[in-house]
């Protein structure tokens, strides 16, 4: 052991030094240096030594029992006290510290703390050390246990406010056999210093845990168990000496080296968390890690032990300390160089996770280093841009930590985690967010920052880099601000929320990672981001997310005479958008009028003139037309279905508010002055009809209800031929579909004998050929409404008007529009006379058009679109079979058609998609409808459908999606009722499926809600089967065999 004396006196210090301890001399680093104790530290030393003497004079009095056994050799020795760990190291480095670890040779920390309480309770002792008279000493146990004779108080009392001259409460950290056996420590606050009291100890590790067995140890054993030699220096309070029991601590301090006291491989094997602790100390102290220690840290078995033995909460805590330390960039460089990235930043639950590409990761944290520190030689020429960007994006210590975390996660930015959640509702999360949550256990607020950055970085990058916000552009540098640009960008900031700066930073880091080391490209990207931020600052929207509406919800409701509801959120956002476009406007009334256009004025007019005898009829009619034109859905509200976003766009939300108010205005106008004749106001009809399908994205509950009410109320006026036919079908629908005619139909609505070749529309002219899809997006909904109210006589008279649009829709390349076409065909066929269909020869044309729709299955077709299309195609084919083959003598032809639908649709579809529960549920439901339609003709399919249904019911995981079980049971019941004369031959398959289903339901019933209803369905199916075949076979014998194999089937068969 090496000792270095802290006193200018060359004589050995006594056990109770009476001299002034405020300064002491140490021989270190080859020269004389002064280690200065503060006056508070000197008083603390004197207090602790006096407590030690007090204990030595009363050895028979025990402070408290302890599970830690005291060796006999130590029992007779005197109390020795040492300051250990970081305080000694920091003092040698000239750094102040408020945290002091006090090591005791023969007592646990809690036992010593209780004795200190006892000593200070002696009258006059507190005043000797300048402690306040009214500061009583309290003992707190985390387990709620109160040592005998101690003054026990609540935790709140124990944590009273410390003062410069006060003594805080004593807090016991109980022994925890699961974490660190027999280790009892105590914490307190004395004279403003945080004190940890703990015994000197020896540690013994097992192979599978970092939590050691603890026993009393010698100073050397305690020093050797520590993570680094520079942390193993002790200050002996009795001798005033700094002690180096490892023999290397002083030299490593002098040469600024981090190394382990013992052999590094075994040190890390015992406690792999020391790998991260050494990285933290190296980065905090600016020391280097010695070669042998680094090699062990890079060892794969050590990294595997770090994965297996250390909880991710501890890993996350160390990373947070590193990132909040003095030089986190040195730590990231060490992680990179030692190959520790995959060990630290990973998903511990995913054993087959592919490691990310780290080739350009260095570029991201080096840029961040140059931004925050301006010390990187390679990027110093960019310091000006970096500093200006940093001033806008990173403004405090918490934001620095989050910026470092984002930089650390950039290698995962383009990766997606495997989908999670229930079938049909699975969510795909960014892998960076999963790593942060699972590997580092970050808190919810931090995770929100990471999720937002990962979700929006691509949009941010395109917004910044593609727009080229060059400082040289006049429209940016000029004094005139473009209000539209301000409004649009401000709403983007609001959508990103309070963490938008991190979204921009993450996008910047990823753009730099993509570029690599090309200085010119780096300079260009930095210039774009700097100009973008300057642009936002010039527009005054850096804090747009904090902007509050000029009008609150209560006033908005009052002004519009409307009830509170979900519409208010969208309306208030529209108000904010108007404010962003009018930064100098502060009048709330202007916000209402401008934002909601003319509707505010209309509402006021209606309220004022509703009961007035003097009504300007011409003005009212004008209002009808103005409002109708304003609420007509526009092309920019929705985008093609193949790329439809999950959430409505800002424009669509705004339009929904406007249309809800607008249809409400039309309802009020109808109360004031109903239109006597709609012939001159077809625009009103079309606008209302545009909201008659609640499935349309622009339709709200309010607009749908208002439109349906008005159209129903005025049904007799609207359905007049000159209104419905001349203006709606002839004037609107026919011209829109004129350029996209179906080639197999003539202009008279008959089958073409020699169809012309199909026309393929290039993307550039498709919008011109299909205005019903790209321009008048509401036209299909209006056509649907017109078909629903057409009578049979009108259908035949206007057959050429309705057939081409329907076939055009079914023939479209969009699954959603195909589904609309199938729905319209079903509506048409319900009112079509069979003779008309036969005379025009379109039955086969409809069949050939709809049958291919049955093959639109996942994964080539998105699941939601497939469900939509199949859900409309099957009913259309069933309706077609009824109209095409209505008479009994055509029954065979009808059955052959339905047979093809069942084979090519249901059976083939299930073969391809049997792993998709939602598609399977739909197919099973359609199978039930087909069986009902076919009757006994369906017996030929029993050999195929009964094993299919039985396999679904036998699936042990079927309860994961109960609707599929319910649909299958209902279909099986239908088969038994319909095909009962032949079901006996297939009873084995039926019983197999029902029995396995019953057992699965019984096992999972405690975990899954509402399974009792499905179980009743299984019982009903069994009873139907018994009744259907009991006269033919001895089914009771089959049932007894099943019950003998598994007694749980007793309740199913009521035995």
């Amino acid at each position: 052991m090496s000792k270095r004396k802290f006193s200018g006196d060359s004589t050995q210090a006594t056990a109770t030094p009476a001299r002034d301890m405020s300064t002491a001399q140490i021989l270190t680093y080859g020269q004389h240096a002064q280690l200065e104790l503060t006056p508070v530290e000197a008083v603390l030393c004197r207090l602790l030594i006096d407590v030690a003497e007090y204990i030595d004079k009363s050895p028979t009095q025990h402070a408290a029992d302890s599970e830690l056994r005291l060796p006999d050799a130590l029992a007779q020795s005197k109390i020795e006290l040492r300051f250990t760990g970081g305080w000694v190291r920091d003092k040698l480095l000239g750094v102040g510290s408020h945290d002091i670890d006090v090591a005791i040779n023969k007592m646990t920390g809690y036992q010593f703390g209780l004795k200190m309480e006892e000593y200070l309770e002696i009258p006059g002792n507190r005043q000797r050390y300048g402690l306040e008279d009214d500061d009583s000493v309290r003992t707190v146990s985390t387990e709620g246990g109160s040592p005998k004779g101690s003054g026990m108080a609540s935790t709140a009392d124990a944590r009273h406010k410390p003062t410069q001259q006060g003594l805080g409460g004593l807090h016991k950290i109980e022994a925890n056999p699961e974490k660190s056996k027999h280790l009892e420590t105590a914490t307190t606050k004395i004279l403003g210093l945080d004190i940890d009291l703990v015994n000197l100890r020896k540690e013994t590790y097992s192979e599978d845990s970092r939590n050691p067995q603890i026993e009393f140890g010698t100073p050397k054993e305690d020093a050797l168990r520590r993570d680094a030699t520079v942390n193993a220096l002790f200050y002996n309070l009795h001798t005033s000496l700094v002690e180096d029991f490892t023999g290397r601590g002083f030299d490593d301090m002098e040469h600024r080296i981090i190394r382990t006291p013992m052999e590094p491989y075994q040190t890390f094997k015992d406690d792999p968390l020391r790998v991260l602790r050494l990285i933290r100390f190296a980065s905090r102290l600016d020391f280097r890690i010695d070669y042998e220690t680094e090699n062990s840290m890079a060892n794969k078995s050590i990294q595997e032990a770090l994965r297996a033995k250390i909880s991710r909460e501890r890993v996350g805590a160390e990373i947070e300390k590193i990132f909040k330390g003095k030089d986190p960039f040195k730590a990231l460089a060490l992680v990179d160089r030692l190959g520790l990235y995959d060990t630290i930043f990973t998903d511990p639950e995913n054993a087959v996770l592919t490691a990310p590409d780290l080739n350009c990761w260095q570029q991201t944290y080096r840029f961040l280093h140059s931004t925050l520190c301006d010390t990187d030689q390679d990027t110093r020429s960019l310091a000006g841009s970096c500093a200006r960007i940093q001033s806008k994006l990173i403004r405090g210590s918490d934001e620095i930590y989050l910026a470092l975390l984002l930089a650390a996660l950039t290698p995962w930015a383009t990766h997606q985690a495997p989908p999670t959640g229930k079938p049909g509702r699975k969510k795909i999360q960014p892998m960076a967010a999963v790593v942060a949550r699972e590997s580092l256990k970050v808190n919810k607020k931090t995770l929100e920052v990471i999720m937002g950055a990962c979700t929006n970085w691509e949009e941010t990058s395109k917004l910044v880099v593609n727009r080229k916000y060059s400082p040289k552009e006049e429209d940016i540098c000029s004094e005139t601000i473009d209000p539209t640009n301000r409004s649009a960008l401000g709403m983007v900031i609001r959508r990103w929320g309070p963490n938008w700066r991190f979204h921009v930073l993450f996008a910047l880091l990823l753009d730099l990672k993509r570029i690599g080391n090309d200085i010119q490209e780096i300079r260009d990207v930095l210039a774009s981001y700097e100009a973008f931020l300057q642009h936002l600052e010039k527009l005054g929207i850096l804090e747009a997310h904090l902007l509050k509406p000029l009008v609150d919800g209560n006033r908005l409701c009052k002004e519009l005479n409307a009830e509170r509801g979900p519409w208010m959120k969208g309306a208030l956002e529209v108000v904010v958008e108007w404010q962003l476009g009018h930064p100098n406007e502060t009048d709330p009334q202007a916000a209402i009028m401008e934002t909601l256009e003319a509707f505010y004025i209309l509402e006021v007019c209606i309220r004022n003139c509703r009961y007035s005898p003097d009504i300007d009829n011409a003005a009212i009619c004008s209002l009808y037309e103005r409002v109708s034109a304003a609420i007509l859905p526009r092309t920019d509200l929705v985008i093609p279905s193949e790329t439809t976003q999950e959430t409505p766009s800002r424009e669509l939300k705004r339009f929904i508010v406007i249309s809800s108010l607008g249809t409400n205005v039309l309802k009020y106008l109808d109360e004031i002055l109903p239109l006597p004749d709609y012939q001159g106001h077809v625009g009103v009809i079309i606008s209302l009809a545009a909201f008659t399908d609640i499935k349309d994205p622009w339709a709200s509950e309010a607009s749908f209800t208002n439109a349906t009410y008005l159209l129903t109320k005025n049904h007799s006026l609207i359905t007049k031929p000159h209104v419905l036919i001349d203006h709606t079908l002839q004037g609107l629908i026919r011209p829109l579909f004129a350029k996209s005619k179906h080639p197999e139909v003539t202009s008279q609505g008959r089958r073409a004998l020699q169809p012309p070749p199909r026309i393929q529309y290039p993307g550039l002219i498709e919008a011109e050929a299909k205005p019903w899809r790209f321009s008048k997006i509401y036209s299909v909904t209006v056509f649907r409404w017109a078909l629903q109210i057409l009578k049979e006589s009108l259908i035949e008279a206007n057959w050429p008007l309705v057939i081409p649009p329907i076939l055009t829709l079914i023939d479209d390349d969009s699954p959603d529009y195909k589904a609309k076409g199938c729905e319209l065909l079903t509506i048409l066929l319900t009112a079509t006379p069979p003779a008309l269909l036969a005379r025009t020869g379109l039955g086969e044309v409809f069949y050939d058009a709809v049958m291919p729709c049955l093959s639109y299955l996942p994964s080539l077709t998105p699941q939601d679109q497939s469900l939509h299309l199949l859900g409309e195609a099957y009913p259309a084919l069933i309706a077609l079979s009824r109209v095409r083959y209505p008479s009994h003598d055509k029954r065979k032809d009808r059955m052959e058609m339905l047979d093809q639908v069942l084979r090519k649709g249901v059976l083939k579809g299930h073969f391809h998609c049997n792993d998709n529960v939602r598609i399977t549920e739909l197919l099973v439901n359609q199978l039930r409808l087909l069986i009902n339609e076919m009757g006994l003709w369906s017996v030929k399919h029993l050999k195929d459908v009964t094993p299919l249904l039985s396999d679904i019911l036998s699936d042990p995981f079927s309860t994961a999606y109960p609707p599929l079980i319910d649909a299958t049971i209902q279909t099986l019941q239908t088969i038994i009722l319909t095909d009962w004369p032949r079901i006996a031959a297939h009873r084995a398959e039926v019983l197999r499926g029902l029995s396995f289903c019953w057992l699965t339901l019984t096992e999972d019933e405690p975990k899954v809600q509402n399974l009792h209803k499905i179980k009743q369905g299984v019982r009903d199916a069994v009873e139907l089967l018994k009744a259907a075949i009991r006269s033919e076979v001895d089914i009771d014998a089959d049932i007894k065999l099943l019950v003998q194999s598994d007694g749980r089937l007793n309740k199913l068969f009521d035995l």
Side-chain angles (χ1 to χ4, degrees):
M1 179 193 73
S2 299
K3 294 187 179 181
R4 302 200 181 181
K5 193 168 176 65
F6 276 75
S7 173
D9 190 348
S10 61
T11 61
Q12 179 71 23
T14 60
T16 308
R19 52 184 160 63
D20 181 9
M21 295 179 62
S22 61
T23 62
Q25 191 177 45
I26 178 173
L27 183 63
T28 182
Y29 305 155
Q31 56 185 335
H32 291 281
Q34 294 294 317
L35 179 69
E36 295 187 359
L37 300 183
T38 66
V40 172
E41 290 168 342
V43 172
L44 174 64
C45 288
R46 192 167 71 249
L47 167 61
L48 294 174
I49 291 173
D50 289 347
V51 172
E53 288 186 342
Y54 171 76
I55 297 171
D56 288 337
K57 291 176 181 178
S58 53
T60 59
Q61 299 180 20
H62 298 289
D65 293 333
S66 172
E67 295 183 16
L68 198 62
R69 191 184 68 83
L70 182 65
D72 295 337
L74 281 176
Q76 304 304 318
S77 62
K78 291 181 178 294
I79 293 288
E80 291 182 4
L81 303 175
R82 291 173 171 85
F83 288 167
T84 65
W87 180 88
V88 182
R89 178 200 65 221
D90 290 345
K91 276 293 182 181
L92 292 173
L93 292 173
V95 178
S97 177
H98 291 282
D99 298 322
I100 301 179
D101 295 341
V102 181
I104 308 117
N105 65 325
K106 57 177 287 186
M107 299 180 77
T108 68
Y110 187 57
Q111 289 173 330
F112 185 86
L114 291 177
K115 279 295 185 181
M116 182 166 60
E117 287 182 344
E118 184 181 303
Y119 172 76
L120 289 173
E121 288 173 357
I122 299 173
N125 280 358
R126 299 177 65 83
Q127 289 77 5
R128 292 181 59 189
Y129 309 101
L131 301 177
E132 294 179 355
D133 291 336
D134 59 349
D135 271 333
S136 59
V137 180
R138 300 174 176 91
T139 304
V140 178
S141 169
T142 58
E143 296 298 320
S146 177
K148 195 176 283 189
S150 68
M152 193 64 175
S154 68
T155 303
D157 290 336
R159 294 177 181 176
H160 63 277
K161 293 181 180 178
T163 66
Q164 185 64 22
Q165 297 299 323
L167 175 66
L170 183 69
H171 185 86
K172 178 184 178 183
I173 302 175
E174 296 282 358
N176 187 342
E178 296 299 323
K179 294 294 182 183
S180 193
K181 282 197 173 181
H182 312 305
L183 177 60
E184 292 178 354
T185 66
T187 63
T188 187
K189 203 173 189 79
I190 302 176
L191 301 168
L193 300 173
D194 294 312
I195 309 299
D196 284 353
L197 303 171
V198 65
N199 58 281
L200 292 172
R201 61 188 187 268
K202 176 183 178 182
E203 297 178 346
T204 305
Y205 287 87
S206 61
E207 283 294 323
D208 59 347
S209 174
R210 66 173 289 267
N211 301 312
Q213 294 284 342
I214 302 296
E215 57 186 287
F216 277 102
T218 65
K220 183 172 183 178
E221 288 172 334
D222 192 271
L224 292 177
R225 72 171 181 82
R226 295 177 181 266
D227 45 24
T229 56
V230 297
N231 293 337
L233 297 170
F234 297 164
Y235 172 60
N236 191 314
L237 273 66
H238 308 278
T239 64
S240 299
L241 294 177
V242 174
E243 302 168 333
D244 181 10
F245 289 97
T246 68
R248 287 183 165 184
F250 288 132
D251 291 337
D252 288 344
M253 286 289 293
E254 182 174 359
H255 296 98
R256 307 179 73 80
I257 294 174
I258 296 289
R259 80 170 85 238
T260 57
M262 299 180 68
E263 196 277 324
Y265 180 86
Q266 190 58 48
T267 299
F268 297 135
K269 198 71 173 176
D270 289 342
D271 184 0
L273 188 64
R274 289 167 173 162
V275 171
L276 296 182
R277 287 174 57 82
L278 262 58
I279 290 176
R280 174 158 62 90
F281 289 128
S283 61
R284 174 188 166 190
L285 302 173
D286 195 21
F287 282 21
R288 67 176 179 85
I289 303 175
D290 90 301
Y291 181 75
E292 184 182 0
T293 303
E294 272 200 1
N295 282 345
S296 296
M297 293 168 72
N299 187 285
K300 293 300 180 184
S301 64
I302 296 298
Q303 294 179 8
E304 187 57 38
L306 179 58
R307 272 176 172 264
K309 293 174 66 173
I310 307 302
S311 72
R312 303 315 296 190
E313 288 81 2
R314 297 298 302 273
V315 172
E318 282 297 326
I319 293 298
E320 183 173 356
K321 290 177 183 177
I322 288 172
F323 285 172
K324 292 182 177 180
K326 182 180 177 181
D327 189 359
F329 304 101
K330 180 174 183 177
L332 286 175
L334 281 169
V335 168
D336 194 4
R337 179 158 54 84
L338 298 177
L340 288 165
Y341 188 91
D342 299 340
T343 303
I344 301 170
F345 303 101
T346 185
D347 180 3
E349 302 300 321
N350 191 339
V352 294
L353 186 64
T354 303
D357 181 11
L358 300 176
N359 284 337
C360 296
W361 178 46
Q362 185 186 71
Q363 185 67 25
T364 61
Y365 63 77
R366 284 186 61 186
F367 162 74
L368 203 58
H369 187 202
S370 64
T371 299
L372 297 174
C373 305
D374 189 23
T375 57
D376 195 311
Q377 294 293 334
D378 294 337
T379 57
R380 183 165 291 178
S381 61
L382 308 172
S385 291
C386 293
R388 287 186 290 271
I389 291 173
Q390 182 254 330
S391 67
K392 302 290 191 305
L393 299 182
I394 306 173
R395 302 166 298 168
S397 58
D398 289 341
E399 293 182 351
I400 291 175
Y401 162 69
L402 291 170
L404 287 162
L405 189 55
L406 290 174
L409 294 171
T410 51
W412 288 113
T414 57
H415 295 248
Q416 297 290 339
T420 59
K422 295 181 179 179
R425 300 179 63 184
K426 293 192 173 184
K427 297 180 180 179
I428 299 179
Q429 293 184 328
M431 195 64 216
V434 173
V435 167
R437 185 185 67 233
E438 301 299 333
S439 182
L440 304 180
K441 298 297 181 182
V442 298
N443 59 40
K444 184 178 180 181
K445 183 178 179 181
T446 302
L447 188 61
E448 287 177 356
V449 172
I450 297 168
M451 283 289 290
C454 293
T455 303
N456 295 315
W457 72 265
E458 287 185 284
E459 178 190 6
T460 307
S461 177
K462 291 176 182 178
L463 181 65
V464 175
V465 178
N466 294 351
R467 290 290 296 273
K468 299 293 184 184
Y469 289 95
S470 170
K472 297 179 181 179
E473 291 187 23
E474 294 182 1
D475 61 332
I476 293 178
C477 297
S478 66
E479 295 299 324
T480 303
I481 297 175
D482 180 1
T484 304
N485 195 16
R486 185 180 195 274
S487 177
L489 287 175
M491 293 306 290
V492 169
I493 298 296
R494 288 183 66 80
R495 176 162 54 81
W496 288 346
N499 299 320
W500 71 268
R501 287 178 170 85
F502 295 110
H503 303 180
V504 176
L505 176 64
F506 196 55
L508 172 57
L509 293 175
L510 290 170
D511 280 335
L512 293 173
K513 180 176 179 290
R514 170 180 52 82
I515 291 170
N517 295 316
D518 190 316
I519 284 293
Q520 185 55 49
E521 285 198 51
I522 292 174
R523 186 175 284 109
D524 292 342
V525 168
L526 290 178
S528 294
Y529 277 85
E530 182 185 354
F532 173 70
L533 293 170
Q534 288 176 348
H535 186 48
L536 296 183
E537 184 177 36
K538 195 174 189 66
L539 294 177
I541 55 175
L542 289 173
E543 307 300 330
H545 58 285
L546 300 176
L547 183 63
K548 294 185 177 180
L550 285 172
V551 184
D552 62 21
N554 291 330
R555 177 165 183 184
L556 196 62
C557 290
K558 181 180 178 181
E559 295 286 354
L560 298 176
N561 193 24
E563 296 182 359
R564 297 179 67 88
W567 65 272
M568 290 173 55
K569 182 178 179 181
L572 291 174
E573 279 298 294
V574 173
V575 171
V576 172
E577 183 179 2
W578 178 87
Q579 288 176 234
L580 288 166
H582 302 78
N584 298 321
E585 184 64 66
T586 58
D587 181 12
Q589 197 70 15
I592 295 174
M593 294 175 64
E594 290 288 339
T595 304
L596 299 179
E597 300 175 338
F599 291 110
Y600 174 79
I601 302 172
L602 293 179
E603 289 277 354
V604 173
C605 290
I606 290 168
R607 288 203 304 273
N608 291 338
C609 73
R610 184 181 290 178
Y611 306 108
S612 173
D614 301 320
I615 297 177
D616 187 341
N617 290 356
I620 295 296
C621 291
S622 175
L623 289 178
Y624 267 110
E625 294 297 332
R626 286 179 57 195
V627 175
S628 300
I631 65 172
L632 200 62
R634 306 186 307 274
T635 307
D636 61 335
L637 297 179
V638 294
I639 52 181
S641 58
E642 289 78 0
T643 56
T644 299
Q645 299 172 350
E646 293 183 2
T647 57
S649 66
R650 174 171 48 85
E651 291 79 9
L652 180 55
K653 289 180 180 178
R654 180 177 184 275
F655 178 79
I656 289 173
V657 174
I658 296 296
S659 61
S660 298
L661 292 170
T663 54
N664 204 37
V665 168
L666 291 176
K667 186 178 176 182
Y668 286 150
L669 289 172
D670 187 72
E671 293 179 15
I672 297 172
L673 181 67
L675 290 175
D677 187 356
Y678 276 84
Q679 183 173 2
H681 303 284
V682 179
V684 179
I685 300 175
I686 291 174
S687 292
L688 291 173
F691 295 94
T692 54
D693 189 351
I694 193 63
K695 300 188 296 294
D696 285 331
W698 58 80
S700 66
E701 191 68 36
S703 60
F704 171 76
T705 302
N706 289 334
T708 305
Y709 166 79
L710 289 171
L711 291 171
T712 304
K713 180 185 176 186
N714 297 283
H715 179 78
S716 60
L717 296 174
I718 292 171
T719 53
K720 291 181 178 181
H722 63 272
V723 176
L724 182 62
I725 306 302
D726 295 347
H727 293 288
T728 305
L729 294 180
Q730 285 273 19
L732 174 67
I733 303 301
R734 186 171 188 172
L736 292 177
F737 286 85
K739 292 184 179 181
S740 53
K741 292 181 179 179
H742 194 280
E744 296 187 21
V745 181
T746 67
S747 59
Q748 289 77 34
R750 297 176 177 272
R751 182 182 180 184
L753 298 178
Q754 294 182 343
R758 292 178 180 268
I759 301 175
Q760 298 296 329
Y761 299 102
L764 292 177
I765 66 169
E766 188 178 22
E768 298 177 9
K770 300 178 181 180
W772 47 268
R773 177 175 169 183
F774 294 96
S775 177
K776 310 286 187 183
I777 59 174
Y778 54 85
S779 58
V780 176
T781 302
V782 175
F783 183 38
R784 175 180 178 273
W785 165 80
L787 276 180
Q788 287 177 322
I789 62 175
L790 277 178
K791 298 179 181 178
E792 186 173 310
S793 58
L794 291 177
I795 288 285
E796 187 166 358
N798 295 282
W799 188 256
L801 292 177
V802 298
I803 295 304
I806 292 176
L807 285 173
T808 299
L809 289 169
I810 298 175
D811 197 44
D812 194 65
D813 56 358
S814 164
D816 285 335
Y817 278 98
K818 282 181 178 291
K820 290 177 184 288
C822 291
E823 180 190 10
L824 296 179
L825 178 59
T826 304
I827 295 171
L828 173 69
L829 290 172
T830 57
T832 299
L836 175 61
L837 185 65
R839 191 166 61 250
T840 57
L842 291 181
E844 187 175 352
V845 174
F846 287 149
Y847 177 82
D848 291 341
V850 178
M851 276 299 289
C853 295
L854 305 185
S855 63
Y856 279 67
L857 300 165
S859 59
L860 293 179
T861 304
Q863 176 182 274
D864 289 343
Q865 291 184 350
S866 179
L867 289 169
H868 185 198
L869 178 53
L870 296 178
E872 300 293 349
Y874 280 103
L877 288 167
I878 292 174
L880 177 61
S881 72
R882 294 171 183 165
V883 181
R884 190 179 181 189
Y885 306 111
S887 60
H888 184 73
D889 59 338
K890 295 285 187 180
R891 182 171 178 79
K892 182 180 179 182
D893 293 330
R894 182 168 182 246
M895 292 304 107
E896 288 179 353
M897 175 183 167
L898 293 176
D899 176 78
Q900 292 297 311
V901 174
L902 194 153
R903 289 188 178 279
K904 295 182 179 180
V906 174
L907 297 181
K908 188 175 180 181
H910 181 263
F911 175 79
H912 287 288
C913 294
N914 55 55
D915 60 340
N916 188 309
V917 291
R918 293 191 63 198
I919 296 293
T920 302
E921 178 196 5
L922 182 144
L923 293 175
V924 168
N925 282 325
Q926 299 306 322
L927 174 61
R928 181 170 69 254
L929 298 177
L930 289 168
I931 295 295
N932 273 325
E933 291 290 326
M934 298 176 73
L936 271 175
W937 284 79
S938 63
V939 295
K940 62 188 292 187
H941 297 293
L942 286 178
K943 65 181 187 300
D944 297 316
V945 298
T946 51
L948 182 152
L949 299 177
S950 184
D951 287 343
I952 295 173
L953 295 176
S954 302
D955 187 348
F957 303 104
S958 58
T959 54
Y961 190 66
L964 176 56
I965 315 177
D966 191 29
T968 306
I969 294 296
Q970 292 183 43
T971 302
L972 192 56
Q973 291 176 358
T974 300
I975 289 175
I976 296 171
L977 287 170
T978 305
D979 298 329
W980 61 268
R982 296 288 186 272
I983 199 65
H986 303 278
R987 67 185 184 280
E989 282 291 351
V990 176
L991 287 172
R992 176 176 73 89
L994 293 174
S995 298
F996 276 114
C997 182
W998 178 267
L999 294 175
T1000 303
L1001 292 171
T1002 302
E1003 290 178 2
D1004 293 349
E1005 191 170 14
K1007 298 178 288 185
V1008 183
Q1009 294 181 350
N1010 298 325
L1011 290 185
H1012 63 280
K1013 296 180 181 179
I1014 300 178
K1015 291 183 74 174
Q1016 185 57 49
V1018 178
R1019 287 196 187 97
D1020 294 343
V1022 168
E1023 292 304 316
L1024 286 174
L1025 183 64
K1026 288 180 181 178
I1029 67 176
R1030 179 164 280 150
S1031 61
E1032 298 182 49
V1033 297
D1034 185 7
I1035 189 173
D1036 293 332
D1038 296 337
I1039 290 174
K1040 286 180 181 179
L1041 289 174
L1042 288 171
V1043 173
Q1044 288 174 4
S1045 65
D1046 196 318
R1048 291 176 294 173
L1049 296 174
N1050 265 322
K1051 293 184 179 180
L1052 171 61
F1053 298 112
D1054 291 330
L1055 294 180

